[in-house]
């Protein structure tokens, strides 16, 4: 057996499992740790999956032509002309990212903070993560100047960084890197000969659709891989479908030639019924775009309401522009939290809110932040209701904040923050 230390459980999945055990034991818990999108399946999508249930044969490793063509059309409508022959589908964007890291090889530059699995996957493929901090308020993209310095230093030390992973929009911060930062990232990647892997699974969840997230594929098209899936925009995390768009260049074609054999040893072929449903979804008929628009509106309303409660309590928080994630910093309350509750870092803060108030969150350390800062990641997408009837009502409500169960959840968050900080939340 390998002497390498075993990987730790994904922090988000471990937190979800712990909260589920407490709920099963009869405790009243409010899950704000994982990234599950708590919405019902679009009926038309469910019907497509059911209609394809008899498709039980193996298919092409990179996915059916119908799925790859639909994904190419999806990207084309976003200004990224795409050759279906350079699209690779897999059973979720997570294994796709893992396969990409294997196919690219070398060490991996990751933003700090970043999604819990980027650095872990780099280690699993035998590489090393090269952490680079983000610029304030521009989550998901390493600061381009610090990226240059970090890669130069890593190479001087004998390491071999070959790619940089970015997230647009970002998990965990709910922010969107500015177009200027994305352009400077693209220039740095070209200068350093890095492949950019742009995880854009949240690109349809920007709260103001008139100001979309800008893909680095627009600025470094020859070296940018884009990945996405249906997990977040259509709330089908358990269905597991992801797609990758490889660049139409020598870099992209060479990578395709390595990625497909890697994929063939990991998943053989994406699930055939799911491919049929995904091809329909990526075609973006009106019922799909209408569902996504309603979901974005709900995410924005509830995320902003929770954000207001954090800032009312005295936490610092960058404006949330996308997704259902918040990344509040309780550093301004450090002295009070230490004196009143013995809370000194994010781990203590998460423990306090979980044990005393039944609210599950994650500390910033789970996202690669060093030194256990007084920051946490809160996901608001499980506040919409426990049953599909409630979730459907939330999706269609004129004012979802007036729904009794959402109001109760917000009151629980406010009461916990009042207890934590001594500040009435929300303030009158």
């Amino acid at each position: 057996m390998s002497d390498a230390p075993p990987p730790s459980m994904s922090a988000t999945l471990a937190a979800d499992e712990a909260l589920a055990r407490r709920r099963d034991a009869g405790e009243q818990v409010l899950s704000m740790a994982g990234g599950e999108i708590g919405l019902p399946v679009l009926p038309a999508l469910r019907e497509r999956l059911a209609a394809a249930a008899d498709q039980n044969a193996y298919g092409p490793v990179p996915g059916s032509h119908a799925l790859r063509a639909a994904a190419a059309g999806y990207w084309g409508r976003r200004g990224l002309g795409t050759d279906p022959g350079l699209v690779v589908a897999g059973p979720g964007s997570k294994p796709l990212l893992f396969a990409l890291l294997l196919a690219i090889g070398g060490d991996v530059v990751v933003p700090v903070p970043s999604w819990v699995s980027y650095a872990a996957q780099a280690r699993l493929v035998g590489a090393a993560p090269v952490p680079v901090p983000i610029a304030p308020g521009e989550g998901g993209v390493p600061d381009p100047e610090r990226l240059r310095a970090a890669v130069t230093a890593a190479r001087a030390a004998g390491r071999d960084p070959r790619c940089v992973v970015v997230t647009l929009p970002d998990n965990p911060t709910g922010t969107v890197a500015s177009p200027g930062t994305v352009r400077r990232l693209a220039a740095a990647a070209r200068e350093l000969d890095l492949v950019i892997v742009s995880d854009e699974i949240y690109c349809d969840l920007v709260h103001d659709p008139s100001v979309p997230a800008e893909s680095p594929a627009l600025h470094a098209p020859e070296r940018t891989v884009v990945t996405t899936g249906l997990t977040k925009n259509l709330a089908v995390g358990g269905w597991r479908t992801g797609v990758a768009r490889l660049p139409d260049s020598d870099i992209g074609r060479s990578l395709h030639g390595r990625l497909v054999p890697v994929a063939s040893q990991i998943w053989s072929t994406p699930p055939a019924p799911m491919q049929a449903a995904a091809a329909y979804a990526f075609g973006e008929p009106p019922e799909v775009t209408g569902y996504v628009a309603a979901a974005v509106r709900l995410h924005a309303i509830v995320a902003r309401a929770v954000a207001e409660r954090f800032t009312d309590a005295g936490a610092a928080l960058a404006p949330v522009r996308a997704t259902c994630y918040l990344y509040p910093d309780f550093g301004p309350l450090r002295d009070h939290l230490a004196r009143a509750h013995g809370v000194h870092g994010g781990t203590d803060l998460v423990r306090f809110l979980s044990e005393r108030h039944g609210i599950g969150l994650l500390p910033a350390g789970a996202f690669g932040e060093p030194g256990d800062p007084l920051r946490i990641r809160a996901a608001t997408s499980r506040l919409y209701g426990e049953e599909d009837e409630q979730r459907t009502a939330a999706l269609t409500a004129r004012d979802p904040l007036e729904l009794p169960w959402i109001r109760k959840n917000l009151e629980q968050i406010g009461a916990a923050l009042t207890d934590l900080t001594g500040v009435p939340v929300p303030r009158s």
Side-chain angles (χ1 to χ4, degrees):
M1 295 181 66
S2 170
D3 293 330
S8 57
M9 180 74 172
S10 163
T12 51
L13 300 181
D16 275 346
E17 289 186 6
L19 290 166
R21 287 193 295 270
R22 291 176 62 181
R23 186 180 290 109
D24 291 344
E27 292 186 52
Q28 293 294 315
V29 296
L30 185 59
S31 177
M32 300 182 70
E36 182 83 60
I37 304 296
L39 291 173
V41 178
L42 175 68
L45 187 62
R46 184 174 63 239
E47 291 163 7
R48 294 288 175 135
L49 182 64
D54 61 348
Q55 297 184 22
N56 62 343
Y58 286 108
V61 171
S64 69
H65 176 74
L67 172 54
R68 290 183 286 113
Y74 169 91
W75 277 307
R77 290 186 292 277
R78 287 153 179 79
L80 299 176
T82 302
D83 178 357
L86 290 171
V87 173
V88 176
S93 59
K94 196 171 186 177
L96 260 178
L97 287 164
F98 181 69
L100 279 163
L101 296 186
L102 280 168
I104 294 168
D107 294 327
V108 183
V109 179
V110 296
V112 177
S114 62
W115 179 53
V116 298
S117 289
Y118 294 147
Q121 286 194 351
R123 295 185 186 100
L124 281 172
V125 303
V130 179
V132 178
I134 64 169
E138 300 210 46
V141 175
D143 180 274
E145 296 309 316
R146 299 175 82 168
L147 168 69
R148 284 186 174 89
V151 170
T152 300
R155 287 174 174 166
R159 295 174 62 183
D160 184 25
R162 298 186 197 175
C163 75
V164 52
V165 180
V166 303
T167 317
L168 290 155
D170 183 42
N171 171 14
T173 69
T175 60
V176 182
S178 68
T181 294
V182 174
R183 285 192 291 270
R184 289 189 294 117
L185 167 84
R190 184 176 287 124
E191 175 187 320
L192 297 165
D193 193 24
L194 296 174
V195 173
I196 302 171
V197 179
S198 187
D199 181 352
E200 300 181 15
I201 199 164
Y202 298 100
C203 76
D204 293 336
L205 299 185
V206 176
H207 297 169
D208 182 355
S210 69
V211 190
E214 193 161 291
S215 175
L218 294 171
H219 306 292
E222 81 286 358
R223 65 184 57 252
T224 301
V225 178
V226 179
T227 67
T228 192
L230 306 177
T231 300
K232 306 303 180 181
N233 63 348
L234 288 172
V236 288
W239 287 21
R240 312 313 302 144
T241 293
V243 287
R245 174 194 183 273
L246 276 61
D248 192 355
S249 66
D250 290 344
I251 292 172
R253 284 183 285 275
S254 175
L255 179 56
H256 185 274
R258 298 192 301 276
L259 176 60
V260 173
V262 168
S264 74
Q265 301 295 351
I266 299 176
W267 60 74
S268 300
T269 184
M274 194 57 244
Q275 289 189 69
Y280 155 78
F282 281 121
E284 297 186 290
E287 58 271 23
V288 167
T289 56
Y291 177 100
V292 172
V296 171
R297 175 179 175 273
L298 176 60
H299 295 324
I301 290 171
V302 176
R304 287 169 187 158
V306 177
E308 288 173 1
R309 282 154 176 79
F310 282 125
T311 55
D312 281 351
L317 181 64
V320 177
R321 289 189 49 212
T323 77
C324 49
Y325 301 126
L326 308 173
Y327 202 62
D329 181 358
F330 285 81
L333 301 168
R334 179 176 303 278
D335 290 345
H336 169 79
L337 298 182
R339 184 175 59 254
H341 305 295
V343 168
H344 299 280
T347 302
D348 290 340
L349 182 54
V350 165
R351 185 182 302 114
F352 175 92
L353 292 169
S354 174
E355 293 178 355
R356 194 145 151 174
H357 294 281
I359 299 176
L361 301 148
L362 287 175
F367 302 93
E369 295 257 32
D372 197 24
L374 268 168
R375 285 189 287 275
I376 57 175
R377 203 287 301 270
T380 63
S381 54
R382 298 289 288 276
L383 307 183
Y384 308 147
E386 292 295 324
E387 307 295 336
D388 274 355
E389 182 179 1
Q390 290 181 334
R391 294 164 178 165
T392 299
L395 195 61
T396 57
R398 184 187 62 81
D399 183 1
L401 302 183
E402 291 300 315
L403 295 173
W405 54 94
I406 293 181
R407 188 166 62 247
K408 177 184 176 183
N409 289 335
L410 293 175
E411 289 170 354
Q412 182 176 350
I413 295 166
L417 292 173
T418 295
D419 181 32
L420 176 71
T421 66
V423 177
V425 179
R427 296 175 181 171
S428 58

